[in-house]
Structures are given as structure tokens and as C-alpha cells.
Amino acid sequence: MSAFVPDVPRDCRDDNPPAVDAVLMLTGERTIPDLDIENYWFRRHEVVYERLAPRCVDRDVLEAGCGEGYGADLIANVARRVIAVDYDEAAVAHVRGRYPRVEALQANLAELPLPDASVDVVVNFQVIEHLWDQAQFVRECARVLRPTGLLMVSTPNRITFSPGRDTPINPFHTRELNADELAGLLDDAGFAEVAMYGLFHGPRLRDMDARHGGSIIDAQIARAVADAPWPPELAADVAAVTTADFDIIERDGRDIADSLDLVAIAVRH
């Protein structure tokens, strides 16, 4: 297990700053930057931030479930204001220390600590599958969004992430969704104009899949489960993955049932 030690905190933004630096462990619950062994998963998450950040230009943005904070900081390059909320106190302390442009708050996502109609965009990437009450969370997103505001969600596609299973493979996940289930959650909360996308491997990653027995994902998981050394070829390929190696395709243009992740963009009435 690897540890990531953040920079010394520069702006704790509350009256009780942590006495020691926060340390985020690589546990499988969240991805973190700057680790070659984690690079595939990091880039697979980062690409969604990159592609959707233009929708946050000059807007007040809430990231609900910020994890390590790299995504909130990326959005801070273009947004007017970025508020990041996470349930984990260590993650919040880490974000406060490493990303001073982000306003980090510790709270339960089922009770967002923001007034009604206070933000233009809510970002929730690779988080909703961790939540016990997903419907309540989506209602909270609708509450804090201004009229015509955007909720942007990404999540593993249950069909491909935990194929043939009633319970998720990842022990940190409570309920995974397919495209229709995710769209239904958003519809039930009163969101309109729900656009659904699928994330896929692009040509270079498909070549890597072929080199590693059909799936570079399965090759990584097999080594992790067996606690086995990585072959140099696998390590090199994983370290070389970039956000350009993923495609995000709208549902209207392709069947996304076999996508790796789902991406939804919904408009608040």
C-alpha cells in the first residue's frame, strides 16, 4: 500500500486547523495523482474533469465528494468559485493544504452545507456509487443548484464494472448503476434534458488491451489480487496512459451499454 503526503497546509480556512499534515492512503476508495501504479485509474477519472471543465467557466461550482482534490483544483482554473465537500476529514484537510484555491468543507453529501440555489454547477465524479441514499443526494443537488444549473455525474457502468453480479466487486461501492438507472435517478429528482455519455478506451488503450491478454484493467487487477510484481511491459504501459487515450461518446451516437464509465449531464428546472 502506498501513501501520498501532501504539501504543508497553507490555508486551513477554519478556526481549528489540523495539527499535522493529512496523509491520504491508496486504499482503492479513491484515486490519487503522481503514482505510476495508479496512473490508469487516475487518467480515467481526470479525463472527465478535463472534458467537462468548459461547462464551469465563470461559474460557482460545488464538487460533491472531492476526494484528493485534484479535480476541484482543475476546475478552479476556469470557475469563478469552487467549493469542495467530502465526508472524510483527512481528505478535507489534504485539500485545504494542497489546493488553496478550493474552499473545502467536511459534510455528509446527503445534507449539503449550502443554501438553496447557491451554485451554478454540481460536479459528482466517481462518487454516487459510494452513497447509501443516492436519491436523497440527487435531491440535495437539485436544492443547491440555481435554475438551469447543471448536475454532472460520472460513475462506473455496472454492466461492465461488476458483470453478472448483484453486489459490486469494489468493497467501497454500495450500489452501481447502468445508464437507465442513472437517468432514472436524475429524472425522479426533477432534472431535465439528461444527456448520457459513455467512456471507452481509445485506439492506443485498445492496443494495450491486446498486449495484456485482452484487458489492461484485468491485468492490473490480477497482479493486485495476487500481490504479485508487475511485468515491466505492463508497468510501462500503465505509466504511459494519458487522458487522450479515452473517448467519451454521447448515447445518441452509440450504444453505451458496454462503456466503462457513464457520464450524465442534467439541467435543473
Side-chain angles (χ1 to χ4, degrees):
M1 183 175 296
S2 301
F4 177 72
V5 182
D7 296 338
V8 175
R10 288 165 286 181
D11 181 5
C12 293
R13 300 181 190 272
D14 65 16
D15 295 328
N16 298 293
V20 296
D21 292 355
V23 177
L24 294 186
M25 304 300 291
L26 183 59
T27 64
E29 184 175 11
R30 65 172 70 89
T31 188
I32 60 177
D34 305 323
L35 290 177
D36 284 350
I37 198 170
E38 181 71 2
N39 186 59
Y40 168 85
W41 298 103
F42 174 70
R43 300 303 178 189
R44 178 165 153 179
H45 292 185
E46 185 186 34
V47 64
V48 182
Y49 288 98
E50 282 188 356
R51 305 281 173 86
L52 297 190
R55 297 174 184 265
C56 300
V57 173
D58 295 330
R59 293 187 168 188
D60 296 330
V61 179
L62 165 67
E63 181 168 22
C66 62
E68 193 273 345
Y70 65 88
D73 189 62
L74 187 154
I75 291 170
N77 288 327
V78 299
R80 179 168 53 222
R81 179 189 185 194
V82 179
I83 305 163
V85 175
D86 203 276
Y87 187 73
D88 184 77
E89 291 183 2
V92 171
H94 173 83
V95 174
R96 288 171 175 167
R98 185 172 175 85
Y99 304 114
R101 298 185 298 179
V102 176
E103 302 172 39
L105 303 172
Q106 192 276 330
N108 190 325
L109 298 190
E111 298 179 357
L112 293 171
L114 275 72
D116 295 355
S118 56
V119 295
D120 303 302
V121 180
V122 175
V123 171
N124 181 249
F125 294 160
Q126 302 294 322
V127 173
I128 198 168
E129 67 276 4
H130 295 260
L131 305 180
W132 288 104
D133 195 340
Q134 296 171 342
Q136 168 62 16
F137 165 69
V138 175
R139 288 192 295 269
E140 277 289 277
C141 293
R143 179 184 67 77
V144 302
L145 277 168
R146 296 170 181 141
T148 72
L150 298 180
L151 171 58
M152 303 195 295
V153 179
S154 75
T155 189
N157 181 5
R158 175 172 58 79
I159 296 172
T160 57
F161 202 80
S162 297
R165 291 175 57 97
D166 294 328
T167 57
I169 290 174
N170 189 316
F172 296 104
H173 293 180
T174 60
R175 180 195 175 206
E176 294 169 356
L177 304 162
N178 64 28
D180 289 340
E181 291 163 344
L182 177 56
L185 271 177
L186 300 174
D187 288 338
D188 290 346
F191 284 92
E193 304 173 39
V194 178
M196 193 70 62
Y197 302 78
L199 180 145
F200 298 86
H201 283 177
R204 204 166 74 102
L205 268 169
R206 291 198 296 271
D207 288 344
M208 292 183 189
D209 285 332
R211 286 201 294 274
H212 299 289
S215 172
I216 194 171
I217 300 170
D218 290 346
Q220 294 175 81
I221 292 172
R223 269 66 183 191
V225 170
D227 196 21
W230 286 33
E233 298 82 3
L234 176 62
D237 276 349
V238 168
V241 173
T242 73
T243 56
D245 295 323
F246 297 92
D247 294 331
I248 298 178
I249 300 173
E250 189 167 8
R251 188 178 198 173
D252 290 347
R254 174 175 174 176
D255 180 3
I256 62 171
D258 60 344
S259 64
L260 298 170
D261 295 329
L262 304 169
V263 180
I265 303 173
V267 180
R268 183 194 182 281
H269 280 303

mmCIF file of all heavy atoms in Angstrom, residues 13 23 25 27-28 50 69 78-79 96 104 107 111 116 136 138 143-145 148 181 235 248 250 257 261:
data_model
loop_
_atom_site.group_PDB
_atom_site.id
_atom_site.type_symbol
_atom_site.label_atom_id
_atom_site.label_comp_id
_atom_site.label_asym_id
_atom_site.label_seq_id
_atom_site.Cartn_x
_atom_site.Cartn_y
_atom_site.Cartn_z
ATOM 1 N N ARG A 13 -8.575 27.495 6.416
ATOM 2 C CA ARG A 13 -9.904 28.040 6.201
ATOM 3 C C ARG A 13 -10.889 27.720 7.315
ATOM 4 O O ARG A 13 -12.083 27.683 7.092
ATOM 5 C CB ARG A 13 -10.481 27.555 4.860
ATOM 6 C CG ARG A 13 -9.640 27.972 3.664
ATOM 7 C CD ARG A 13 -10.259 27.488 2.385
ATOM 8 N NE ARG A 13 -9.361 27.675 1.272
ATOM 9 C CZ ARG A 13 -9.275 28.762 0.526
ATOM 10 N NH1 ARG A 13 -10.042 29.785 0.803
ATOM 11 N NH2 ARG A 13 -8.426 28.832 -0.467
ATOM 12 N N VAL A 23 -2.456 12.677 5.561
ATOM 13 C CA VAL A 23 -1.848 11.661 4.707
ATOM 14 C C VAL A 23 -2.966 10.847 4.088
ATOM 15 O O VAL A 23 -3.797 10.283 4.797
ATOM 16 C CB VAL A 23 -0.905 10.746 5.516
ATOM 17 C CG1 VAL A 23 -0.336 9.656 4.613
ATOM 18 C CG2 VAL A 23 0.223 11.552 6.141
ATOM 19 N N MET A 25 -4.057 7.620 1.994
ATOM 20 C CA MET A 25 -3.581 6.290 1.646
ATOM 21 C C MET A 25 -4.252 5.817 0.364
ATOM 22 O O MET A 25 -5.427 6.104 0.109
ATOM 23 C CB MET A 25 -3.898 5.309 2.774
ATOM 24 C CG MET A 25 -3.345 5.707 4.133
ATOM 25 S SD MET A 25 -1.557 5.849 4.159
ATOM 26 C CE MET A 25 -1.089 4.134 3.967
ATOM 27 N N THR A 27 -6.071 3.228 -1.012
ATOM 28 C CA THR A 27 -6.818 2.089 -0.458
ATOM 29 C C THR A 27 -7.741 1.432 -1.469
ATOM 30 O O THR A 27 -8.274 0.367 -1.206
ATOM 31 C CB THR A 27 -7.699 2.559 0.715
ATOM 32 O OG1 THR A 27 -8.679 3.482 0.215
ATOM 33 C CG2 THR A 27 -6.862 3.228 1.788
ATOM 34 N N GLY A 28 -7.957 2.052 -2.624
ATOM 35 C CA GLY A 28 -8.960 1.586 -3.567
ATOM 36 C C GLY A 28 -10.250 2.377 -3.488
ATOM 37 O O GLY A 28 -11.107 2.263 -4.357
ATOM 38 N N GLU A 50 -11.409 17.142 -17.338
ATOM 39 C CA GLU A 50 -10.873 17.930 -18.445
ATOM 40 C C GLU A 50 -11.940 18.246 -19.491
ATOM 41 O O GLU A 50 -12.068 19.388 -19.947
ATOM 42 C CB GLU A 50 -9.734 17.164 -19.118
ATOM 43 C CG GLU A 50 -8.427 17.202 -18.381
ATOM 44 C CD GLU A 50 -7.303 16.598 -19.188
ATOM 45 O OE1 GLU A 50 -7.559 16.081 -20.303
ATOM 46 O OE2 GLU A 50 -6.163 16.647 -18.718
ATOM 47 N N GLY A 69 -8.837 15.984 -4.331
ATOM 48 C CA GLY A 69 -8.962 17.397 -4.632
ATOM 49 C C GLY A 69 -8.398 17.851 -5.958
ATOM 50 O O GLY A 69 -8.581 19.014 -6.347
ATOM 51 N N VAL A 78 -10.841 27.571 -14.237
ATOM 52 C CA VAL A 78 -11.789 28.286 -15.097
ATOM 53 C C VAL A 78 -12.995 28.835 -14.340
ATOM 54 O O VAL A 78 -13.657 29.755 -14.823
ATOM 55 C CB VAL A 78 -12.278 27.375 -16.244
ATOM 56 C CG1 VAL A 78 -11.108 26.945 -17.126
ATOM 57 C CG2 VAL A 78 -13.025 26.151 -15.717
ATOM 58 N N ALA A 79 -13.316 28.262 -13.181
ATOM 59 C CA ALA A 79 -14.533 28.649 -12.462
ATOM 60 C C ALA A 79 -14.340 29.952 -11.693
ATOM 61 O O ALA A 79 -13.214 30.353 -11.377
ATOM 62 C CB ALA A 79 -14.945 27.543 -11.497
ATOM 63 N N ARG A 96 -7.395 21.311 1.764
ATOM 64 C CA ARG A 96 -7.107 22.646 2.303
ATOM 65 C C ARG A 96 -5.620 22.975 2.234
ATOM 66 O O ARG A 96 -5.223 24.116 1.986
ATOM 67 C CB ARG A 96 -7.594 22.741 3.740
ATOM 68 C CG ARG A 96 -9.111 22.801 3.871
ATOM 69 C CD ARG A 96 -9.537 22.681 5.320
ATOM 70 N NE ARG A 96 -10.979 22.856 5.462
ATOM 71 C CZ ARG A 96 -11.661 22.567 6.566
ATOM 72 N NH1 ARG A 96 -11.029 22.079 7.629
ATOM 73 N NH2 ARG A 96 -12.964 22.758 6.614
ATOM 74 N N ALA A 104 -12.742 24.014 0.936
ATOM 75 C CA ALA A 104 -13.045 22.632 1.311
ATOM 76 C C ALA A 104 -13.860 22.581 2.601
ATOM 77 O O ALA A 104 -13.511 23.216 3.592
ATOM 78 C CB ALA A 104 -11.756 21.828 1.482
ATOM 79 N N ALA A 107 -18.608 17.393 5.278
ATOM 80 C CA ALA A 107 -20.048 17.246 5.472
ATOM 81 C C ALA A 107 -20.517 15.951 4.833
ATOM 82 O O ALA A 107 -19.824 15.350 4.001
ATOM 83 C CB ALA A 107 -20.809 18.425 4.877
ATOM 84 N N GLU A 111 -26.700 15.819 3.136
ATOM 85 C CA GLU A 111 -27.118 17.095 3.716
ATOM 86 C C GLU A 111 -26.065 18.138 3.357
ATOM 87 O O GLU A 111 -25.234 18.517 4.182
ATOM 88 C CB GLU A 111 -27.279 16.977 5.241
ATOM 89 C CG GLU A 111 -28.346 15.976 5.668
ATOM 90 C CD GLU A 111 -28.457 15.860 7.182
ATOM 91 O OE1 GLU A 111 -27.661 16.516 7.884
ATOM 92 O OE2 GLU A 111 -29.321 15.116 7.645
ATOM 93 N N ASP A 116 -30.032 27.055 -0.413
ATOM 94 C CA ASP A 116 -30.775 26.777 -1.642
ATOM 95 C C ASP A 116 -30.283 27.688 -2.765
ATOM 96 O O ASP A 116 -29.924 28.853 -2.543
ATOM 97 C CB ASP A 116 -32.267 27.036 -1.438
ATOM 98 C CG ASP A 116 -32.910 26.095 -0.429
ATOM 99 O OD1 ASP A 116 -32.223 25.175 0.059
ATOM 100 O OD2 ASP A 116 -34.104 26.286 -0.133
ATOM 101 N N GLN A 136 -31.640 10.731 -2.226
ATOM 102 C CA GLN A 136 -31.569 11.910 -1.359
ATOM 103 C C GLN A 136 -30.437 12.824 -1.783
ATOM 104 O O GLN A 136 -30.585 14.058 -1.804
ATOM 105 C CB GLN A 136 -31.388 11.488 0.102
ATOM 106 C CG GLN A 136 -31.015 12.597 1.077
ATOM 107 C CD GLN A 136 -32.074 13.688 1.193
ATOM 108 O OE1 GLN A 136 -33.215 13.491 0.779
ATOM 109 N NE2 GLN A 136 -31.693 14.835 1.729
ATOM 110 N N VAL A 138 -29.213 13.220 -4.821
ATOM 111 C CA VAL A 138 -29.573 13.911 -6.052
ATOM 112 C C VAL A 138 -30.582 15.021 -5.763
ATOM 113 O O VAL A 138 -30.529 16.108 -6.361
ATOM 114 C CB VAL A 138 -30.102 12.913 -7.101
ATOM 115 C CG1 VAL A 138 -30.584 13.649 -8.343
ATOM 116 C CG2 VAL A 138 -29.015 11.918 -7.481
ATOM 117 N N ARG A 143 -31.533 20.978 -4.930
ATOM 118 C CA ARG A 143 -31.827 22.060 -3.987
ATOM 119 C C ARG A 143 -30.787 23.175 -4.066
ATOM 120 O O ARG A 143 -31.134 24.364 -4.054
ATOM 121 C CB ARG A 143 -31.885 21.510 -2.556
ATOM 122 C CG ARG A 143 -32.164 22.586 -1.502
ATOM 123 C CD ARG A 143 -32.110 22.023 -0.087
ATOM 124 N NE ARG A 143 -30.787 21.584 0.313
ATOM 125 C CZ ARG A 143 -29.794 22.389 0.692
ATOM 126 N NH1 ARG A 143 -29.968 23.700 0.714
ATOM 127 N NH2 ARG A 143 -28.615 21.891 1.047
ATOM 128 N N VAL A 144 -29.509 22.814 -4.125
ATOM 129 C CA VAL A 144 -28.458 23.840 -4.064
ATOM 130 C C VAL A 144 -28.182 24.485 -5.417
ATOM 131 O O VAL A 144 -27.517 25.514 -5.487
ATOM 132 C CB VAL A 144 -27.143 23.271 -3.470
ATOM 133 C CG1 VAL A 144 -27.394 22.710 -2.081
ATOM 134 C CG2 VAL A 144 -26.504 22.244 -4.387
ATOM 135 N N LEU A 145 -28.710 23.907 -6.496
ATOM 136 C CA LEU A 145 -28.479 24.469 -7.824
ATOM 137 C C LEU A 145 -29.452 25.617 -8.113
ATOM 138 O O LEU A 145 -30.621 25.585 -7.737
ATOM 139 C CB LEU A 145 -28.655 23.393 -8.896
ATOM 140 C CG LEU A 145 -27.458 22.496 -9.154
ATOM 141 C CD1 LEU A 145 -27.858 21.304 -10.004
ATOM 142 C CD2 LEU A 145 -26.322 23.268 -9.822
ATOM 143 N N THR A 148 -31.752 26.305 -14.073
ATOM 144 C CA THR A 148 -30.961 25.983 -15.274
ATOM 145 C C THR A 148 -29.524 25.563 -14.939
ATOM 146 O O THR A 148 -28.702 25.413 -15.849
ATOM 147 C CB THR A 148 -30.940 27.124 -16.307
ATOM 148 O OG1 THR A 148 -30.126 28.213 -15.828
ATOM 149 C CG2 THR A 148 -32.347 27.614 -16.619
ATOM 150 N N GLU A 181 -30.669 3.348 -15.085
ATOM 151 C CA GLU A 181 -30.849 3.588 -13.652
ATOM 152 C C GLU A 181 -30.348 4.975 -13.254
ATOM 153 O O GLU A 181 -30.980 5.676 -12.457
ATOM 154 C CB GLU A 181 -30.135 2.501 -12.856
ATOM 155 C CG GLU A 181 -30.804 1.135 -12.986
ATOM 156 C CD GLU A 181 -29.912 -0.011 -12.548
ATOM 157 O OE1 GLU A 181 -28.684 0.181 -12.426
ATOM 158 O OE2 GLU A 181 -30.451 -1.125 -12.353
ATOM 159 N N ALA A 235 3.845 -2.349 -16.437
ATOM 160 C CA ALA A 235 4.143 -1.137 -15.682
ATOM 161 C C ALA A 235 4.385 0.046 -16.620
ATOM 162 O O ALA A 235 3.910 1.165 -16.372
ATOM 163 C CB ALA A 235 5.349 -1.361 -14.775
ATOM 164 N N ILE A 248 -15.037 9.788 -24.938
ATOM 165 C CA ILE A 248 -16.339 9.992 -24.286
ATOM 166 C C ILE A 248 -17.348 10.266 -25.392
ATOM 167 O O ILE A 248 -17.224 11.252 -26.119
ATOM 168 C CB ILE A 248 -16.284 11.141 -23.267
ATOM 169 C CG1 ILE A 248 -15.285 10.806 -22.155
ATOM 170 C CG2 ILE A 248 -17.663 11.393 -22.675
ATOM 171 C CD1 ILE A 248 -15.111 11.900 -21.116
ATOM 172 N N GLU A 250 -21.469 10.356 -26.797
ATOM 173 C CA GLU A 250 -22.852 10.562 -26.389
ATOM 174 C C GLU A 250 -23.708 9.347 -26.746
ATOM 175 O O GLU A 250 -23.501 8.697 -27.778
ATOM 176 C CB GLU A 250 -23.426 11.821 -27.025
ATOM 177 C CG GLU A 250 -24.779 12.212 -26.466
ATOM 178 C CD GLU A 250 -25.209 13.611 -26.865
ATOM 179 O OE1 GLU A 250 -24.526 14.232 -27.713
ATOM 180 O OE2 GLU A 250 -26.223 14.101 -26.320
ATOM 181 N N ALA A 257 -24.073 0.709 -23.570
ATOM 182 C CA ALA A 257 -24.231 -0.362 -22.582
ATOM 183 C C ALA A 257 -22.895 -1.014 -22.244
ATOM 184 O O ALA A 257 -22.706 -1.524 -21.135
ATOM 185 C CB ALA A 257 -25.216 -1.413 -23.093
ATOM 186 N N ASP A 261 -17.363 3.667 -18.052
ATOM 187 C CA ASP A 261 -17.990 4.599 -17.121
ATOM 188 C C ASP A 261 -19.136 5.306 -17.821
ATOM 189 O O ASP A 261 -19.156 5.432 -19.057
ATOM 190 C CB ASP A 261 -16.983 5.653 -16.624
ATOM 191 C CG ASP A 261 -15.863 5.058 -15.794
ATOM 192 O OD1 ASP A 261 -16.103 4.045 -15.114
ATOM 193 O OD2 ASP A 261 -14.752 5.621 -15.826
#
